Amino acid sequence: MKSKLVLIEGLPGSGKTTTAQLVHEILTEMNLTSRLFLEGDLDHPADYDGVAHFTKNEFVELLSTFEKHRDLLSNRVVKQDNNYFMAYRKLKNEYGASFPDELLHASAGNDVYELPLDQNRKLIAERWKKFADGALKGSDIFVFDCCFIQNPVTIGMIKYGAQKEDVISYVAELAVIAERLNPLLIYVEQNDLDHSFRKAVAERPEEWSGGFIEYYTNQGYGKKHGHTGLEGTLQVLQARRKLEAEIFSGLKIAKQKVNNSSYDINEYKQVIAEILSQYFSQVT
C-alpha cells in the first residue's frame, strides 16, 4: 500500500520544520498530493493544539461562569460522548477582545496537554484513530511535524517525569494506530546538541527560549533532577535524546535518520529526496 503519512521528529533546533517543509516540497515535485501540518497548527487532524477538554459537568460550570458567552461556547463546542472539546485558541484568534482573557485562561487550564498523562494519552489515541480512518479513505499523503514522538515525550517525561516505560508505551500505541497508513518516520539529528540548541535560542524570540527553559526545568524531569536555567535545559535535552533514541530503535515502522549538522539546504534536500524517492517507489 502507498504510504499516506510521513512523520518528522527530532530535538528542538535540529531542523524538524525545515525537514517537514522539504518533504512536502519534494512530494509535490514528485506529483504526489501532500498535506503539511507543522507544529502549532490549530487545524491538525491527528492532534489537539490549543484545544480544551471538558466533561459535561465542567462545561456546564464554564457556561455558568461565562454566561455572557453561553451561545458562542455552546455553538462552537464539539461533543463526543461525555467529552466536550473547544478550540479556544482558534476562538481567541477569531473573536479577539470579544473572547476575554479570563475565558482564555479558564479554557487553557483544561488544555488537552494540561490533563493527567493517562487521560491525555486516551484522548490523543482516539484522535489518531479517527484521523487514520479518514486518511485511509483518501489519496493524500500527510506530513506531520513532531506530534508522534515529541508530544508524548514532552508531556510524559518533561511535564510529568513519567516512567520511561510509560512514555515508550505511549508512542508505541500511536505507532500501532499509524501502521495502517504505512508511515515513514524521518528522525532529524545534529552532531552537537549544545550548538544546535544554543543556535535556536539565539535565532528565536526571547519569549520562546524563556518559556522553553521554564517548561523544561520547573516541572517533571527537570525539577526532579534539580536542573535550572539554560545549562539545566541542555541536560534535560540530553536525557530526552537518549530516550528518543531508544524509542526510535524499538519502533517497527519504516524509519530513517538524517543528519542536518551542515545546515546546507541544497545538500540536505538531496538527501531527503533520495529517501523519499526510494521509499515511495517501493511502496507505490
Side-chain angles (χ1 to χ4, degrees):
M1 183 191 83
K2 186 180 77 171
S3 174
K4 294 178 181 291
L5 180 62
V6 182
L7 302 161
I8 312 300
E9 294 290 340
L11 295 181
S14 62
K16 295 189 302 297
T17 297
T18 297
T19 304
Q21 291 169 331
L22 286 174
V23 168
H24 173 64
E25 181 180 319
I26 294 165
L27 290 175
T28 302
E29 292 170 355
M30 294 170 64
N31 294 317
L32 297 170
T33 304
S34 170
R35 298 179 62 187
L36 173 64
F37 292 90
L38 299 176
E39 181 177 10
D41 194 315
L42 300 183
D43 294 310
H44 202 294
D47 198 25
Y48 288 115
D49 201 309
V51 176
H53 169 271
F54 303 92
T55 63
K56 181 177 180 179
N57 289 339
E58 288 172 338
F59 188 67
V60 168
E61 183 177 347
L62 185 74
L63 294 179
S64 176
T65 303
F66 296 93
E67 181 68 35
K68 180 180 177 181
H69 304 280
R70 173 180 290 269
D71 290 344
L72 169 63
L73 298 176
S74 297
N75 291 334
R76 296 295 289 271
V77 73
V78 177
K79 303 175 186 177
Q80 297 176 10
D81 299 323
N82 192 43
N83 299 309
Y84 288 64
F85 295 98
M86 188 173 68
Y88 66 92
R89 282 182 56 194
K90 288 183 72 172
L91 288 173
K92 181 62 176 178
N93 290 344
E94 183 177 346
Y95 288 95
S98 297
F99 192 88
D101 288 343
E102 293 83 0
L103 178 53
L104 179 69
H105 295 150
S107 303
N110 279 59
D111 191 288
V112 171
Y113 281 96
E114 292 295 327
L115 300 175
L117 181 58
D118 288 347
Q119 189 179 7
N120 167 272
R121 174 174 171 173
K122 180 176 183 294
L123 294 175
I124 294 296
E126 290 172 353
R127 179 75 164 168
W128 272 79
K129 289 174 185 174
K130 184 176 180 181
F131 157 70
D133 289 342
L136 279 171
K137 298 174 183 177
S139 59
D140 294 353
I141 300 168
F142 291 81
V143 181
F144 286 172
D145 169 27
C146 80
C147 70
F148 174 62
I149 293 177
Q150 174 173 287
N151 287 359
V153 169
T154 298
I155 189 172
M157 173 190 175
I158 308 302
K159 182 174 179 61
Y160 289 120
Q163 294 294 316
K164 177 180 71 173
E165 293 75 16
D166 292 333
V167 180
I168 293 174
S169 174
Y170 188 162
V171 179
E173 181 178 4
L174 299 185
V176 170
I177 296 169
E179 277 180 358
R180 294 186 293 158
L181 303 177
N182 200 16
L184 170 64
L185 168 62
I186 297 177
Y187 193 93
V188 187
E189 292 189 307
Q190 291 278 347
N191 292 335
D192 189 337
L193 169 59
D194 187 287
H195 172 74
S196 62
F197 184 68
R198 290 181 190 275
K199 183 174 183 293
V201 169
E203 293 175 347
R204 299 182 187 184
E206 187 175 334
E207 181 182 0
W208 177 85
S209 58
F212 191 98
I213 290 169
E214 180 180 0
Y215 193 93
Y216 265 60
T217 58
N218 288 353
Q219 58 185 345
Y221 184 94
K223 187 174 182 178
K224 183 186 296 185
H225 290 82
H227 296 313
T228 60
L230 176 59
E231 300 305 322
T233 301
L234 284 164
Q235 290 178 289
V236 178
L237 283 170
Q238 292 285 3
R240 174 180 158 182
R241 179 163 68 174
K242 183 177 179 181
L243 174 58
E244 292 194 3
E246 185 172 345
I247 290 171
F248 182 92
S249 177
L251 290 169
K252 305 303 181 184
I253 61 176
K255 56 192 177 183
Q256 289 279 346
K257 287 187 177 181
V258 293
N259 194 295
N260 188 34
S261 299
S262 69
Y263 292 103
D264 184 324
I265 191 69
N266 294 322
E267 177 184 313
Y268 188 55
K269 182 177 179 179
Q270 290 180 0
V271 172
I272 300 299
E274 183 175 348
I275 291 172
L276 294 174
S277 177
Q278 291 179 354
Y279 185 68
F280 281 88
S281 64
Q282 292 171 358
V283 300
T284 300

